[in-house]
Amino acid sequence: MSNASTIVEQAYRHCFALARAHYENFPVASWLLPRTLRRPIAAIYAFAREADDLADEGTVAPHERLAALEAYRERLRRTVAGEALADEPVFMALGDALKHYALPPDLLYDLLDAFSQDVVKHRYADFDEVMDYCRRSANPVGRLLLHLTHQATPENLSRSDAVCSALQLINFYQDLHADYVERGRLYLPLDELERFGVTADEIGARRNSPRLNRLMDYQFARADQLMLAGASLGHDLHGRIGLEVRAVTVGGQRILNRLRQQCDDVFTRPRLRFGDRFAILRGAFPGIQGQPSDT
């Protein structure tokens, strides 16, 4: 193995380590995927993970976060231009993935735009603004998967956007209180808070109420509709990528169900149980029969 190949291999190992170091309810480069796709997916995940941390982690001032994200964006520009950043393992792996799979770099820039927006925008006037954020923060990941498998048809891209936006919304609902108190962010549309008579202060105080429950039921129903609008994608995609999409879709629906079940406490982040994980497996492999107790 040449020295360059060794550096690239080490870069991919670094990306896998980053992926495994973070708990996710949704699988990342899982065993359901063909081995050939796990490496580029791990590189994409590591790229997004590092950028997200620049926007969120630590105690640095907003202008410093934006400067760090701009420096990160410059490293992406150099990588897209074909420059090998030997001292940057994530970009080494990402550059290899871009070269071998002809991935559209605009999708990666969209992710960085969303992370930069997180630094400066903490309120969303209406659902259209939330969905515009999802278009750049979540949808690029699904689109990149479709490009990796050469299945990025207009219909598939549309269904992928629906699933990814639904997953992003579900993540917002899981982290409702933490986003508000730790980062000052509220992703629920302000016009809908007003309509249901809920204030941001109630969310900050973890104050459950019938009004808040009605607001969240409305949010859950809309996310469910989005998920259902794209759910057929996993059944139509060729190869093992279809298994992965089915698993992710069912996983999102199970988390949404958990959120609905804890209606008296919308602020507790749900964790998937054994029964949920079996349901995800059964959803990925429809031929599996039976399901253990979900208690």
Side-chain angles (χ1 to χ4, degrees):
M1 182 181 292
S2 69
N3 185 55
S5 298
T6 300
I7 293 173
V8 170
E9 182 62 31
Q10 291 173 342
Y12 276 117
R13 289 177 185 169
H14 175 83
C15 293
F16 276 112
L18 269 181
R20 293 175 184 133
H22 290 80
Y23 170 80
E24 299 288 341
N25 272 335
F26 306 121
V28 176
S30 79
W31 61 270
L32 292 176
L33 291 169
R35 184 177 296 276
T36 54
L37 291 188
R38 294 176 200 167
R39 286 157 57 96
I41 290 172
I44 292 166
Y45 176 83
F47 166 81
R49 180 74 265 167
E50 282 196 340
D52 192 26
D53 286 348
L54 291 175
D56 281 350
E57 298 301 316
T59 58
V60 300
H63 73 275
E64 293 177 284
R65 294 186 188 281
L66 291 175
L69 284 165
E70 181 54 39
Y72 203 74
R73 187 178 285 106
E74 177 57 28
R75 294 199 286 277
L76 176 59
R77 293 190 191 104
R78 292 166 59 190
T79 300
V80 169
E83 184 177 344
L85 305 183
D87 57 341
E88 297 278 354
V90 169
F91 285 98
M92 283 293 296
L94 190 65
D96 186 73
L98 286 168
K99 180 174 66 176
H100 285 97
Y101 292 92
L103 300 175
D106 285 352
L107 296 172
L108 300 171
Y109 287 115
D110 281 345
L111 289 172
L112 293 185
D113 286 346
F115 297 138
S116 294
Q117 179 171 311
D118 269 335
V119 177
V120 296
K121 185 177 177 66
H122 296 165
R123 298 291 185 274
Y124 292 81
D126 52 36
F127 189 63
D128 285 343
E129 284 195 358
V130 176
M131 286 299 287
D132 179 65
Y133 174 81
C134 292
R135 178 185 63 79
R136 288 169 289 121
S137 69
N139 297 1
V141 176
R143 287 179 168 245
L144 286 164
L145 281 174
L146 291 175
H147 282 286
L148 282 171
T149 58
H150 309 290
Q151 299 182 76
T153 66
E155 182 183 4
N156 286 348
L157 290 169
S158 177
R159 288 186 290 178
S160 173
D161 287 349
V163 170
C164 290
S165 289
L167 292 173
Q168 178 70 89
L169 293 174
I170 293 167
N171 271 333
F172 292 157
Y173 307 150
Q174 291 185 104
D175 296 329
L176 188 61
H177 182 257
D179 277 337
Y180 186 79
V181 299
E182 295 175 12
R183 304 177 185 95
R185 298 176 194 154
L186 183 59
Y187 294 100
L188 299 180
L190 294 180
D191 62 342
E192 293 174 7
L193 265 75
E194 183 177 0
R195 188 193 317 164
F196 285 88
V198 176
T199 67
D201 288 343
E202 291 177 72
I203 294 170
R206 292 180 68 99
R207 190 178 306 146
N208 286 281
S209 68
R211 298 189 308 275
L212 179 60
N213 288 338
R214 287 192 292 271
L215 170 64
M216 295 313 299
D217 282 342
Y218 182 78
Q219 307 300 317
F220 298 156
R222 185 164 52 197
D224 192 39
Q225 289 175 353
L226 265 176
M227 188 72 78
L228 290 174
S232 61
L233 177 66
H235 297 279
D236 292 343
L237 291 178
H238 304 301
R240 292 174 66 179
I241 187 66
L243 297 177
E244 177 80 354
V245 173
R246 290 197 296 273
V248 169
T249 302
V250 175
Q253 290 171 323
R254 299 296 288 192
I255 294 170
L256 196 55
N257 288 340
R258 288 286 172 216
L259 286 165
R260 281 171 161 156
Q261 289 168 6
Q262 57 191 48
C263 59
D264 58 338
D265 181 10
V266 301
F267 298 112
T268 298
R269 198 177 205 272
R271 301 277 294 196
L272 294 182
R273 305 171 185 172
F274 175 75
D276 295 309
R277 297 188 184 281
F278 184 86
I280 293 171
L281 188 62
R282 190 179 63 174
F285 297 92
I288 295 178
Q289 300 298 318
Q291 182 176 349
S293 171
D294 197 33
T295 60

